[in-house]
Amino acid sequence: MRVALIQMMVTADKGQNLRTACGRIREAAQNGADFAVLPEMFCCPYDNSCFAAYGEPEGGEVQTTLSALAAKLGIYLVGGSLPELAEGRIYNTSYVYGPDGRQIAKHRKAHLFDIDVQGGQRFRESDTLSPGNRITTFETAFGTMGLCICFDLRFEELARCMCLRGAKVLFVPAAFNMTTGPAHWELLFRQRAVDNQCFTVGVSPARDTRGPYVAYGNSIAVDPWGTVLCRAGAEETALYADLDMDRLEAVRAQLPILSARRTDLYEVRER
């Protein structure tokens, strides 16, 4: 299963962002990718002031373009995320399309990025965005996959629920910043892979130091043993990770973490 991690530069021009993404997706298909993955908020600057203006309702231009391209190329496409306008609200939403162009998954970011790090980054997604309320997995020819967005990955309960549903790979469009990225990016992707004995794939925008939000970049793929299969730097690039599902089964057989879970103990009780 070959996955293309598309780390692209995101500009203030929505049309140009979509053209860049489509060009990279075509290149991924030519290089034998079964999946192509875009970054979080790949079609607009990651800024609260932009989400409403760049957003679109279900079936909007960006979604129909990605759907048609997935069908034309015959690949699975994890469409990063974009601002979804629905129910009078704005959601940070990721759409997934199958090789026939059909939408096979939709995830609204469940945990909003509201942080205030002393001496570092301050950001409040909840000033404009609303949270989703579902755990997202979807079926493919390669098995069950999981999907979450950026800050969602920090919550082990969410990752574990995807894993217990059978997810073999956790796809994570994300945009860590220059405060949280150096500290936690690789750590979290390796940690979730080891804890859940699955592959993790994180795809970030490229770093633009002139933009309103400076993404860390460093798109990454990790195997169930915690080994980093590929990792980008800050630049615009496309990486390829070949995920061996036999490797996943071998790790689970050698270290029976999932099968040895003591669910009879995992409950907070009064002493």
Side-chain angles (χ1 to χ4, degrees):
M1 172 178 157
R2 171 163 276 203
V3 179
L5 293 72
I6 298 172
Q7 181 167 293
M8 55 176 277
M9 193 67 73
V10 177
T11 73
D13 186 332
K14 183 177 180 179
Q16 181 57 52
N17 294 333
L18 183 57
R19 288 189 292 274
T20 297
C22 290
R24 288 290 192 172
I25 294 165
R26 293 188 189 95
E27 178 185 295
Q30 292 170 358
N31 287 324
D34 302 296
F35 282 75
V37 188
L38 295 172
E40 181 181 21
M41 291 296 181
F42 78 94
C43 64
C44 74
Y46 189 81
D47 189 276
N48 278 322
S49 65
C50 296
F51 296 150
Y54 286 77
E56 61 182 42
E58 189 85 25
E61 176 192 5
V62 172
Q63 299 163 59
T64 55
T65 299
L66 295 183
S67 171
L69 188 58
K72 181 178 180 180
L73 300 175
I75 65 171
Y76 290 95
L77 176 53
V78 180
S81 79
L82 53 81
E84 177 201 1
L85 308 180
E87 306 147 5
R89 299 179 178 181
I90 309 173
Y91 297 95
N92 185 344
T93 302
S94 180
Y95 295 88
V96 182
Y97 304 97
D100 59 358
R102 182 174 57 89
Q103 180 184 308
I104 57 175
K106 170 183 173 179
H107 178 75
R108 289 172 171 170
K109 190 175 189 177
H111 303 88
L112 296 184
F113 184 59
D114 287 1
I115 69 160
D116 189 356
V117 179
Q118 187 173 3
Q121 185 77 30
R122 185 181 187 279
F123 199 96
R124 287 184 55 83
E125 278 189 327
S126 64
D127 286 346
T128 55
L129 300 177
S130 296
N133 57 10
R134 293 189 177 182
I135 296 164
T136 304
T137 56
F138 58 97
E139 300 304 317
T140 73
F142 300 92
T144 305
M145 306 292 153
L147 175 66
C148 65
I149 299 173
C150 200
F151 199 53
D152 284 337
L153 189 67
R154 289 187 177 272
F155 298 86
E156 164 58 17
E157 296 93 336
L158 182 68
R160 177 52 54 88
C161 285
M162 289 188 283
C163 175
L164 293 177
R165 286 185 178 184
K168 297 180 176 180
V169 183
L170 305 185
F171 290 107
V172 192
F176 277 37
N177 56 62
M178 294 305 296
T179 299
T180 60
H184 299 148
W185 175 264
E186 181 177 314
L187 174 68
L188 278 167
F189 280 95
R190 296 183 70 188
Q191 182 177 329
R192 293 292 169 262
V194 170
D195 286 349
N196 296 288
Q197 299 185 303
C198 64
F199 293 93
T200 56
V201 176
V203 181
S204 167
R207 189 181 307 165
D208 181 2
T209 56
R210 299 165 298 176
Y213 180 94
V214 182
Y216 180 54
N218 284 266
S219 296
I220 192 170
V222 181
D223 81 358
W225 192 257
T227 302
V228 176
L229 301 176
C230 62
R231 178 174 172 174
E235 72 286 351
E236 188 169 48
T237 189
L239 303 179
Y240 294 88
D242 293 312
L243 310 187
D244 181 356
M245 294 304 157
D246 290 338
R247 172 68 170 158
L248 180 147
E249 298 303 333
V251 168
R252 291 185 176 183
Q254 294 169 53
L255 289 175
I257 293 173
L258 297 176
S259 61
R261 293 168 63 243
R262 288 288 305 276
T263 55
D264 57 312
L265 296 180
Y266 308 151
E267 182 179 349
V268 178
R269 300 171 180 163
E270 293 184 7
R271 291 185 178 181

